[in-house]
Amino acid sequence: AKMRFLRAHYHLLCPVASGEARASVGWEDCRAARLSTSEEVQCPICLVAPAAAPQVASCGHILCLPCALRLHAAAVDEERVCKCPVCADALHVSELRTVLLVSVGEVRAGGVATFRRLPLPAPRRRGGPPPPKVYADVSSVPALVCGTVSEVRCFASALDAPLSQLRAAEAALVLPTPATQPATLPATPPATLPATLPSTPSSALPSPVAGAPPLAAGDLAATMQLEAEEELRYVRLAIEELSRRLTAWAAPPEAEEHKRREERNSRSPRVSGSGVSESEGEGEGE
């Protein structure tokens, strides 16, 4: 059901299959996906649009890579299963795929729509689906409609935009050191200051919450600095994750095929001595 949903909404990009063509395409076979949309994609966690280094989970929902890593780290610290914030499906970092967002114009009544003839598929092989179209690079893949699977030889360009976006966010979050901060603030000319400040009646001031200590300016600055450092940490972890993918993609195809086979076997139910699969036992315990 998940793959039917993903194939109905995304253009899936897979590496070139070694040996014979795949009988079917699973999520573990995909490296990236493309989504044609007329709306900005908003992260359901930070509510930023467009999402930073957008990733699509195996459930089909899109979120920022730093937000996904933070969500997964919080679940690990609390010893619980990490779940998608939209559908509560299990979310694994290893199952996240980079999604390339293609902006398309919204077609309205009375407007003009441009259609493109899709390339004819290769002849169907006996006992299996037709082999997908093979492209040299992600940038050479045309913006096809959803429900399409294409094979790509080189995926490095798929991470150029996400890495540039994350490095720009990292540069914006790096706090200036005391050596780079100005010694004194520039003085404001007296002419720009009003002669007298308007007085505010005491009845218009907000009443303090009973029992709540006042928040000092120093505490507020310290809290904001901690939040910026936490955000910077996960931005850097996101850069490491994408760099790790580039290194893994540069490995020989045989090694990657072996890794995908192990990942597929790890997701399959395992039968214990009592005859109950471990996945079912975990579900009953929850």
Side-chain angles (χ1 to χ4, degrees):
K2 288 183 181 180
M3 281 306 301
R4 287 198 300 267
F5 173 83
L6 291 168
R7 294 194 63 162
H9 290 79
Y10 294 92
H11 176 193
L12 304 181
L13 305 178
C14 306
V16 178
S18 58
E20 299 182 357
R22 301 184 181 93
S24 61
V25 176
W27 188 242
E28 64 276 1
D29 300 318
C30 302
R31 279 187 181 175
R34 295 181 69 166
L35 175 65
S36 299
T37 177
S38 59
E39 301 177 354
E40 284 189 329
V41 178
Q42 186 183 52
C43 175
I45 299 178
C46 63
L47 304 180
V48 173
Q55 304 289 303
V56 56
S58 58
C59 58
H61 295 114
I62 299 176
L63 62 163
C64 295
L65 180 55
C67 292
L69 296 178
R70 180 181 293 188
L71 183 68
H72 184 267
V76 172
D77 293 341
E78 298 174 6
E79 297 182 353
R80 57 179 176 83
V81 178
C82 183
K83 297 182 178 181
C84 172
V86 179
C87 64
D89 194 12
L91 189 148
H92 304 277
V93 176
S94 60
E95 295 182 353
L96 295 176
R97 301 294 184 266
T98 298
V99 56
L100 309 175
L101 304 177
V102 180
S103 179
V104 295
E106 184 178 1
V107 180
R108 300 181 180 180
V112 178
T114 303
F115 294 89
R116 177 178 180 178
R117 185 186 298 274
L118 296 178
L120 294 176
R124 181 181 295 272
R125 294 186 178 184
R126 180 180 300 179
K133 180 75 173 177
V134 178
Y135 297 93
D137 190 78
V138 173
S139 58
S140 62
V141 180
L144 301 179
V145 295
C146 56
T148 310
V149 178
S150 301
E151 291 188 350
V152 182
R153 299 187 185 277
C154 182
F155 280 84
S157 60
L159 301 184
D160 289 344
L163 282 173
S164 299
Q165 191 177 13
L166 291 174
R167 290 191 176 106
E170 180 187 18
L173 288 171
V174 172
L175 301 177
T177 59
T180 61
Q181 293 179 349
T184 57
L185 295 176
T188 305
T192 60
L193 297 177
T196 58
L197 295 176
S199 60
T200 304
S202 57
S203 59
L205 296 175
S207 56
V209 180
L215 184 62
D219 297 340
L220 179 60
T223 302
M224 295 178 62
Q225 182 175 355
L226 289 177
E227 291 180 354
E229 292 177 354
E230 186 77 1
E231 185 177 358
L232 177 61
R233 173 191 173 193
Y234 286 100
V235 167
R236 288 174 172 171
L237 288 177
I239 295 176
E240 294 179 3
E241 170 65 19
L242 295 185
S243 301
R244 183 195 61 79
R245 293 185 191 178
L246 285 175
T247 304
W249 293 349
E254 294 79 9
E256 185 177 359
E257 186 69 23
H258 178 70
K259 181 180 179 181
R260 286 201 301 267
R261 193 180 302 111
E262 288 183 347
E263 182 179 351
R264 191 183 301 112
N265 295 335
S266 64
R267 297 299 178 195
S268 60
R270 296 181 299 274
V271 180
S272 60
S274 59
V276 181
S277 64
E278 296 181 8
S279 59
E280 294 177 358
E282 293 175 359
E284 295 175 358
E286 293 178 0

